[in-house]
């Protein structure tokens, strides 16, 4: 049987885009439809928002613990995003990929570009807003950030959007269901790429 001969290597999917564009919302909707993808949980020095759970949304640590993790080379990438530090634990990602499982990272653009340097075989996906006015509405509607923080996030978004040229795919998050369908389609297509297959025995 062919399915005994053909296995697949794990694929790293990296999703980023400006704050408030809907990355977290898309990720949750994707996971509800596609269970067979491992989501990396980042470490952050940010304080939890209402409803956020340690080890669920993030691992929440203080600056000292974050610095220890940096010193001990525990991050695949890390960056200061606005006023807080965020990092992707390396061990989890590398172990899952080695096991042939796909991994999804939802990280900022600085982090995504660091990962691209280290693991250029990853698949880099950028989420775009339909327009800047809508991005402002979404940041405000989330109701979790101060006006100062919203202003800072909007000021960064023009430069961030220009970084789309470093990515493999762009998805405009206008209608949520459409955006999620496009992300699913990208994942499905990448899983079918011959370069991602291990052809273990003579399949002819
Ligand atoms: P990010 O993770 O990129 O910072 P969020 O997922 O927190 O963004 O989304 C920011 C806000 O925008 C949330 O209130 C969310 O419900 C809303 N949102 C996300 N996608 C859409 C969409 N396609 N249409 C309208 N609102 C959306
Ligand atoms: P928030 O504080 O709104 O949850 O996230 C702020 C930003 O940090 C978002 O753009 C999010 O994608 C990014 N982020 C979350 N985790 C990581 C991470 O591990 N590394 C990097 N570089 N950015 C992250």
């Amino acid at each position: 049987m062919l399915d005994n001969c053909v296995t697949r290597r794990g694929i790293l999917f990296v999703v980023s885009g400006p704050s408030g564009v809907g990355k977290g919302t898309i990720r949750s909707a994707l996971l509800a439809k596609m269970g067979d993808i491992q989501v990396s949980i980042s470490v952050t020095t940010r304080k939890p928002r209402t409803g956020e759970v340690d080890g669920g949304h993030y691992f929440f640590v203080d600056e000292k613990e974050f610095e220890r993790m940096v010193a001990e080379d525990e991050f695949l990438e890390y960056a200061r995003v606005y006023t807080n530090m965020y990092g992707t634990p390396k061990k989890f990602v590398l172990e899952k990929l080695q096991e042939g499982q796909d991994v999804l990272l939802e990280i900022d653009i600085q982090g995504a570009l660091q990962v691209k340097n280290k693991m250029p075989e990853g698949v880099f996906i950028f989420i775009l807003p339909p327009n800047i006015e809508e991005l402002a509405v979404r940041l405000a509607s989330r109701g979790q950030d101060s006006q100062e923080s919203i202003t800072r996030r909007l000021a960064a978004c023009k430069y961030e959007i220009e970084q789309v040229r470093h990515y493999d795919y762009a998805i405009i998050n206008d209608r949520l269901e459409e955006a999620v369908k496009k992300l699913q389609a990208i994942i499905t297509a990448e899983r079918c790429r011959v370069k991602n297959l291990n052809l273990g025995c003579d399949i002819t």
Side-chain angles (χ1 to χ4, degrees):
M1 287 294 286
L2 272 186
D3 53 5
N4 289 331
C5 297
V6 182
T7 58
R8 199 170 55 68
R9 70 176 183 86
I11 306 171
L12 180 64
F13 293 96
V14 180
V15 172
S16 47
S19 180
V21 74
K23 302 180 295 292
T25 308
I26 291 175
R27 179 180 63 178
S28 303
L30 176 85
L31 292 181
K33 293 183 168 199
M34 223 180 205
D36 55 348
I37 189 157
Q38 299 291 321
V39 176
S40 160
I41 306 201
S42 297
V43 175
T44 183
T45 60
R46 167 165 84 56
K47 297 276 170 286
R49 294 180 181 134
T50 317
E52 284 184 337
V53 182
D54 188 40
H57 296 82
Y58 285 104
F59 295 109
F60 296 99
V61 300
D62 58 19
E63 294 266 351
K64 197 160 167 246
E65 172 63 2
F66 198 96
E67 279 164 20
R68 185 201 62 76
M69 294 180 79
V70 171
E72 297 193 7
D73 196 25
E74 291 185 21
F75 290 121
L76 178 62
E77 62 72 37
Y78 66 94
R80 180 171 291 279
V81 187
Y82 309 111
T83 52
N84 295 296
M85 300 302 294
Y86 295 80
T88 303
K90 183 159 59 180
K91 189 165 173 272
F92 175 86
V93 174
L94 299 185
E95 273 178 9
K96 294 297 168 198
L97 291 174
Q98 205 118 53
E99 288 166 13
Q101 300 196 55
D102 298 334
V103 178
L104 181 73
L105 305 185
E106 190 240 286
I107 59 176
D108 95 310
I109 293 150
Q110 309 167 68
L113 297 182
Q114 290 176 43
V115 176
K116 196 174 174 199
N117 268 329
K118 290 186 184 163
M119 303 175 80
E121 69 282 8
V123 179
F124 294 83
I125 303 157
F126 198 94
I127 312 292
L128 287 162
N131 53 61
I132 305 301
E133 293 73 27
E134 173 63 14
L135 185 64
V137 168
R138 288 186 193 170
L139 278 166
S141 78
R142 187 162 61 183
Q144 297 276 3
D145 304 288
S146 64
Q147 189 51 51
E148 187 205 344
S149 158
I150 292 177
T151 306
R152 198 167 40 225
R153 283 163 198 244
L154 282 173
C157 83
K158 185 169 177 294
Y159 168 77
E160 288 177 340
I161 288 171
E162 283 168 7
Q163 306 310 309
V164 65
R165 62 201 157 90
H166 299 297
Y167 286 69
D168 301 305
Y169 295 96
I171 297 175
I172 298 175
N173 181 21
D174 190 353
R175 288 192 52 239
L176 179 64
E177 308 84 84
E178 289 303 314
V180 175
K181 264 194 212 157
K182 284 179 184 165
L183 182 54
Q184 267 190 293
I186 291 166
I187 293 171
T188 304
E190 289 290 335
R191 285 176 171 174
C192 297
R193 286 179 74 135
V194 173
K195 73 163 193 177
N196 289 328
L197 304 178
N198 303 315
L199 303 175
C201 52
D202 185 0
I203 58 167
T204 51

